[in-house]
């Protein structure tokens, strides 16, 4: 086993694909099957979800409360507490613009201060989904009429919860949405010993997983 350096980082790498097919393509996501050449020369078949990418917003008010919403998620048969989030609907879309749109549509809120909190792959063993989680501060009510919602979003509940309560709930196994858990723990870490919010990346930081025009 190789000794690990103090600082580690993920690196781009692409193994040879000898065949590829898309047995299913839905409205936004699909399933792809690739035959991938392994280091020993054998070929292994890998099935995974193709995904356009997502943004999520940890919106923190001046009382250190996070804006959360409760939404029914059919695949897991649970109503989960989450932070506002949504798909990158347009290829190459600026993720900050998408995040501002989602915060408006789901919570009718705008923010004056935006930073990149953390970038993650949700399930890299089974999906290529990449998510950029923003920290949004200096919140206020959005202008104009509320965005008209439907389906699951029509019965969403909104709340503002102290950051510490989200951290406690995540560690207690009471909260499970990945963006909420990762975002809350990341912000807690930044505040506690990671140089503070001021050390976070700017809102227009490069995102190699989903390149975009600034």
């Amino acid at each position: 086993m190789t000794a690990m350096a103090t600082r580690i980082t993920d690196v781009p790498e692409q193994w040879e694909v000898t065949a590829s097919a898309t047995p299913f393509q839905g409205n936004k996501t699909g399933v792809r099957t690739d035959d991938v050449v392994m280091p020993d020369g054998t070929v292994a078949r890998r099935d995974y979800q193709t995904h356009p990418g997502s943004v999520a917003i940890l919106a923190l008010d001046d009382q250190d409360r996070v804006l959360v919403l409760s939404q029914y998620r059919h695949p897991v048969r649970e109503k989960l507490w989450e932070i506002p989030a949504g798909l990158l609907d347009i290829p190459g879309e600026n993720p900050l613009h998408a995040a501002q749109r989602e915060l408006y549509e789901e919570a009718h809120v705008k923010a004056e201060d935006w930073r990149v909190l953390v970038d993650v792959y949700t399930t890299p063993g089974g999906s290529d989904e990449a998510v950029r989680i923003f920290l949004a501060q200096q919140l206020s009510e959005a202008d104009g009429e509320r965005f008209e919602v439907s389906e699951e979003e029509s019965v969403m509940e909104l709340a503002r919860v102290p950051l510490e309560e989200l951290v406690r709930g995540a560690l207690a196994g009471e909260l499970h949405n990945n963006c909420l858990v990762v975002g809350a723990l990341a912000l807690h870490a930044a505040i506690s010993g990671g140089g503070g919010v001021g050390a976070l990346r700017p809102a227009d930081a490069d995102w190699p997983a989903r390149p975009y025009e600034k």
Side-chain angles (χ1 to χ4, degrees), residues 10-200:
D10 298 333
V11 295
E13 184 166 325
Q14 183 167 311
W15 293 0
E16 182 185 358
V17 175
T18 59
S20 184
T22 305
F24 170 77
Q25 181 60 56
N27 185 34
K28 295 295 183 181
T29 66
V31 174
R32 180 174 297 158
T33 298
D34 288 343
D35 291 341
V36 186
V37 180
M38 299 289 112
D40 63 0
T42 61
V43 176
R45 180 156 291 178
R46 294 289 179 261
D47 301 319
Y48 58 98
Q49 180 195 34
T50 57
H51 195 285
S54 306
V55 292
I57 308 96
L58 195 146
L60 187 71
D61 69 15
D62 57 7
Q63 299 179 49
D64 291 331
R65 299 177 303 176
V66 177
L67 193 157
V68 294
L69 51 91
S70 180
Q71 185 170 348
Y72 174 67
R73 293 302 188 183
H74 186 70
V76 296
R77 307 303 199 272
E78 290 189 32
K79 199 171 184 182
L80 302 180
W81 284 102
E82 308 179 351
I83 57 177
L87 298 177
L88 292 169
D89 294 321
I90 305 169
E93 182 178 16
N94 187 309
L96 175 58
H97 297 166
Q100 292 169 333
R101 179 187 68 236
E102 293 299 332
L103 185 59
Y104 160 72
E105 290 182 357
E106 295 194 349
H108 200 67
V109 166
K110 62 181 180 180
E112 299 301 322
D113 186 272
W114 291 83
R115 302 167 193 270
V116 174
L117 183 55
V118 66
D119 297 327
V120 295
Y121 291 116
T122 54
T123 50
S127 173
D128 67 357
E129 181 183 9
V131 181
R132 168 157 283 187
I133 304 176
F134 288 91
L135 172 65
Q137 298 180 100
Q138 299 179 28
L139 309 181
S140 62
E141 189 83 358
D143 301 326
E145 297 182 0
R146 285 186 172 273
F147 182 78
E148 186 175 347
V149 296
S150 61
E151 300 174 342
E152 294 94 337
E153 294 183 351
S154 65
V155 291
M156 287 193 308
E157 301 174 54
L158 273 72
R160 296 196 182 200
V161 178
L163 174 63
E164 293 297 330
E165 174 60 18
L166 297 183
V167 172
R168 185 208 63 77
L171 297 179
E174 299 169 0
L175 300 171
H176 306 92
N177 175 264
N178 59 352
C179 291
L180 183 150
V181 171
V182 171
L185 295 178
L187 180 57
H188 184 269
I191 294 172
S192 301
V197 170
L200 295 174

